[in-house]
Amino acid sequence: MATRAVRYAVIDAFTDTAFKGNPAAVCFLEDGYQVDDEWMQSVAKEFNISETAFLTRAVSGDNPRFNLRWFTPVDEVDLCGHATLAAAHFLLSYGLVKCDVIEFATKSGILTATKVYGIKQSTLFNVKDENFIKSNGEKESFSIELNFPVCKVVESDPGEIPSIPETLNGASVINVTKRGSSDDHIVLPCPSLKL
């Protein structure tokens, strides 16, 4: 069982405004900090938001790598975009890494987060970097770009498709495909659909 304090933050992904976007908790487990799956699940349940990310340092140096796991309040998941974005933001914004590229070792493979300078508008994060000062003395803004694995998509068997139009309140659907490695369906609604 964990007995030491844990550094954590709740970070709103896909926004630069507090209490907007998609929140994720990020817990940084310092070197040597040992916890089990039950403890992580209990912490995620306590936060009670869609995802809680747990980070541990795997490799230090110029290109740091962190182990990253994601838990909902009820189960561990194999991949979560907004919690990965929150984890990268946490590491970059709190000065825990001094580089522009972070690697995450996950159940879905190696994911990368890259600090990108010079983007005026972003749907991700727009952060003032305390370590990068422009020649006029202003702090440079940066965004975070994520690189995720590509999932193979296959056609869905019509018998496998649940009653999607009913689920979407009668909305028209253009296409339904299935993620090749799971039973997850990907639904492409008509462009005029407002969910």
Side-chain angles (χ1 to χ4, degrees), residues 13-169:
F14 307 118
T15 186
D16 60 0
T17 305
F19 310 114
K20 301 285 184 183
N22 196 357
V26 179
C27 296
F28 182 58
L29 305 174
E30 303 284 348
D31 294 340
Y33 200 94
Q34 299 296 315
V35 297
D36 58 21
D37 291 2
E38 184 180 337
W39 183 87
M40 287 187 277
Q41 187 63 68
S42 295
V43 170
K45 186 175 182 180
E46 182 75 17
F47 276 116
N48 199 29
I49 55 180
S50 63
E51 302 290 340
T52 300
F54 293 91
L55 288 167
T56 57
R57 191 178 303 273
V59 177
S60 298
D62 293 339
N63 294 315
R65 181 177 287 180
F66 294 85
N67 297 313
L68 176 60
R69 294 174 70 183
W70 308 275
F71 286 79
T72 72
V74 296
D75 202 7
E76 183 174 11
V77 296
D78 292 338
L79 183 65
C80 181
H82 83 282
T84 303
L85 185 60
H89 174 76
F90 178 83
L91 293 169
L92 292 166
S93 298
Y94 289 93
L96 297 169
V97 296
K98 304 289 184 199
C99 61
D100 290 345
V101 178
I102 305 167
E103 292 184 343
F104 296 109
T106 74
K107 287 186 173 185
S108 295
I110 300 297
L111 312 177
T112 59
T114 304
K115 186 190 288 188
V116 180
Y117 292 100
I119 296 176
K120 299 290 184 206
Q121 291 290 333
S122 174
T123 58
L124 305 180
F125 283 113
N126 193 13
V127 181
K128 295 291 184 188
D129 186 355
E130 304 296 324
N131 302 314
F132 188 81
I133 308 296
K134 296 192 295 189
S135 58
N136 65 3
E138 291 180 17
K139 293 176 181 162
E140 179 67 80
S141 294
F142 69 88
S143 293
I144 300 168
E145 178 181 282
L146 299 178
N147 187 352
F148 280 77
V150 175
C151 297
K152 183 179 178 184
V153 177
V154 297
E155 290 299 317
S156 291
D157 177 355
E160 292 181 317
I161 300 172
S163 182
I164 292 172
E166 282 182 35
T167 305
L168 296 176
N169 296 323

